[in-house]
Amino acid sequence: MAIDLKAVEQLATDQSSLKAAAGLAKPAKWSGIGGSPDGALIWGECAGSGANPYRVMADLRDLGNKCTCPSRKFPCKHVLGLLWLNAEAIVPFAPADTPAWVSDWLGRRRGTSAAKPANNAPSGDAKDLRAARIVEPEAAEDPKDAARREAQAARRNEETERAILDALDALEQWIGDQLRLGLAGFIDDATARCRRIAARLVDGKAAVLAGRVDELPSRLLALAAGDRPRGAVVELGKLVMLARASRATPRDAEVRRAVATSETRETVLADPQAVRVDTQWEVLAEHVQTRRDGLVSQTTWLLNLAASGPRFAMLLDFFPASVGRRGSVFTPGERFRGELVFYPSQQPLRALLVRRDAAEETLAPEWPAPDEALSDALTRPLLAEPWTIDIPLLLPQGRIARDDAGHAWWQSGDGTATLPVASNAEGLLCGTDLTRAAAIWSGSRLTILAAQTPWGRIGSHD
């Protein structure tokens, strides 16, 4: 079963969507392309601006379609791009088992009316396939205009750096005030106080740092009451170190990412020195959190199943809370072969997914061996980035148990290491012999992502 480009043209809402689809009808933009044996269903994953690709699917029998992107156009450019690939046979849609995410969508739409080609283009905005194919030549730029634009960009960068430095001065003065007035008062009024300085940081172009300060009260409240003063000292101390590192090296990409903004996807992919790892990965867990600034952070933790390269990878996406819950492109426990590109860092962790394929059937079920020295795994990232909040760990054989007060603790099998565990250690995790455990250390407690046991894998919510 196949369609032609005329159907794609009719389905597009307007010429701009058709033009965008033409730009996506390139094999390099896609991974995981496949189709059902009868050719009725097609699917694929399209690289977007975030860390995770968008999952795109279509039913060629009635042109019903679905994409996980937040676009308000229906169909979006990713659906049109997938259909364009199929219409011109640009890539093979090899017959394969229908992925669970496609089956879920198909089950939800079963019994609904067939999708109709869109005829809602604005009057006078005719859709033209030939025009969509045309690659507009870049106009020659006047050297004077180029020089003027570069000067304006340099001036904006200087103004931004000056604003950030002023904001950092205000932050350090604020921290000194909290210590002078006493930690007890700070802890009791942390939400209001942090929100005020966070607003100042936003005005000073230090938006990422502002988000970190705004979330500080929630991290303190997650601690036991007796641990909060120590936790406050640690949190404020890390902010001071980050502020001084930013003042010393304002253009360092790693520091700037923690204070102001991160590099674009295009910049990371174009960096010839970026760490690239093509290997087998396991999805450990996904954390979705609504932030105070109205954005939703979607964090996916991956484990490198090979012996070389960064052990963990973190895929991080942000989207407005107003668009509602987005469907995940990953399932905890699934394995795949994929290429990741890591953001520049002394301890590479945050990454972008470039390509994803099915896992090899011969892949061994065991995780890699944990770090030989747990103390080194805890301290090494802090030596590189003292302001780090979350440190991923692969723990050796151990067990989680509760003390008389009901607090959960992880203890190594040989009894040489004991670490407090967050309240998510419920259900099967407690009391079970854990041959391996992947966790996040926040400086005061472990958050279990997933674990392996003698009888199988369990996640944090099992």
Side-chain angles (χ1 to χ4, degrees):
M1 184 176 295
I3 62 170
D4 57 28
L5 278 181
K6 193 64 178 177
V8 178
E9 180 186 62
Q10 292 176 343
L11 200 63
T13 57
D14 50 37
Q15 181 65 20
S16 64
S17 295
L18 200 60
K19 182 74 174 178
L24 292 177
K26 297 177 174 61
K29 298 282 188 180
W30 295 82
S31 62
I33 291 284
S36 58
D38 61 1
L41 298 173
I42 58 173
W43 57 80
E45 295 178 339
C46 185
S49 57
N52 298 329
Y54 299 125
R55 282 180 164 173
V56 193
M57 59 214 85
D59 187 337
L60 299 185
R61 291 168 295 194
D62 58 7
L63 296 185
N65 53 76
K66 171 70 175 177
C67 179
T68 58
C69 79
S71 174
R72 297 184 182 278
K73 288 188 177 182
F74 183 80
C76 66
K77 62 182 180 181
H78 308 102
V79 167
L80 297 174
L82 180 72
L83 294 173
W84 197 310
L85 290 174
N86 182 265
E88 291 203 317
I90 296 174
V91 296
F93 285 75
D97 293 337
T98 304
W101 47 276
V102 177
S103 298
D104 290 345
W105 165 71
L106 192 65
R108 288 195 302 271
R109 74 181 297 265
R110 195 164 285 158
T112 60
S113 58
K116 301 296 182 183
N119 292 313
N120 55 344
S123 59
D125 186 15
K127 294 174 290 186
D128 187 345
L129 280 169
R130 289 175 298 178
R133 291 175 182 270
I134 296 174
V135 178
E136 301 292 340
E138 295 185 4
E141 188 174 19
D142 188 325
K144 292 183 179 180
D145 291 340
R148 188 181 303 111
R149 190 183 67 255
E150 291 177 0
Q152 291 174 344
R155 186 166 58 252
R156 286 195 299 269
N157 288 337
E158 290 178 1
E159 292 173 352
T160 297
E161 289 180 7
R162 192 179 306 114
I164 291 175
L165 290 175
D166 290 343
L168 295 177
D169 289 340
L171 175 65
E172 288 203 61
Q173 181 178 350
W174 176 82
I175 292 174
D177 292 341
Q178 308 316 306
L179 297 175
R180 178 174 53 83
L181 295 172
L183 288 177
F186 169 69
I187 293 171
D188 290 341
D189 193 33
T191 299
R193 295 189 189 186
C194 288
R195 188 162 295 174
R196 285 195 292 269
I197 189 61
R200 173 67 182 86
L201 292 172
V202 170
D203 293 341
K205 312 296 184 184
V208 178
L209 185 56
R212 174 172 177 154
V213 172
D214 207 23
E215 297 296 331
L216 190 155
S218 64
R219 292 195 294 274
L220 291 181
L221 291 175
L223 302 175
D227 294 335
R228 289 172 190 170
R230 174 188 172 278
V233 171
V234 172
E235 291 279 353
L236 296 177
K238 288 184 176 183
L239 290 175
V240 171
M241 288 187 285
L242 179 54
R244 294 186 178 179
S246 180
R247 189 177 288 109
T249 56
R251 298 188 181 181
D252 180 83
E254 193 169 356
V255 174
R256 192 174 183 84
R257 193 182 313 131
V259 172
T261 186
S262 63
E263 306 90 321
T264 64
R265 178 186 178 92
E266 292 72 22
T267 300
V268 176
L269 294 179
D271 185 356
Q273 297 182 340
V275 176
R276 292 175 176 265
V277 180
D278 188 348
T279 187
Q280 299 281 351
W281 301 90
E282 178 174 320
V283 181
L284 293 173
E286 183 178 74
H287 293 159
V288 179
Q289 182 180 14
T290 301
R291 309 193 323 170
R292 293 182 183 274
D293 58 7
L295 292 178
V296 175
S297 64
Q298 186 174 13
T299 307
T300 305
W301 292 96
L302 305 178
L303 175 66
N304 183 351
L305 297 177
S308 61
R311 173 154 290 176
F312 294 92
M314 179 186 71
L315 307 181
L316 183 60
D317 271 348
F318 297 97
F319 56 92
S322 58
V323 305
R325 177 77 184 247
R326 291 201 312 185
S328 174
V329 300
F330 295 104
T331 302
E334 76 167 293
R335 294 182 171 187
F336 64 92
R337 183 172 189 92
E339 180 184 3
L340 270 63
V341 178
F342 287 81
Y343 283 73
S345 173
Q346 295 183 58
Q347 298 284 324
L349 179 61
R350 185 178 175 184
L352 295 169
L353 179 62
V354 178
R355 193 196 75 257
R356 178 166 69 163
D357 303 317
E360 299 174 0
E361 295 182 359
T362 57
L363 186 64
E366 290 298 323
W367 288 356
D371 290 316
E372 293 183 2
L374 183 57
S375 58
D376 289 344
L378 289 169
T379 57
R380 192 184 309 115
L382 293 175
L383 294 175
E385 299 178 25
W387 50 86
T388 297
I389 295 178
D390 294 328
I391 300 174
L393 299 171
L394 190 57
L395 301 171
Q397 186 271 334
R399 185 182 296 269
I400 296 174
R402 294 189 179 277
D403 58 22
D404 294 339
H407 301 138
W409 297 80
W410 173 86
Q411 185 176 49
S412 61
D414 58 10
T416 60
T418 302
L419 295 171
V421 179
S423 58
N424 74 326
E426 303 288 348
L428 298 177
L429 282 172
C430 275
T432 300
D433 182 23
L434 308 178
T435 56
R436 296 281 191 278
I440 304 297
W441 175 249
S442 63
S444 59
R445 58 180 185 159
L446 286 172
T447 298
I448 304 297
L449 298 175
Q452 283 200 340
T453 71
W455 41 268
R457 179 192 190 277
I458 56 177
S460 58
H461 298 292
D462 290 337

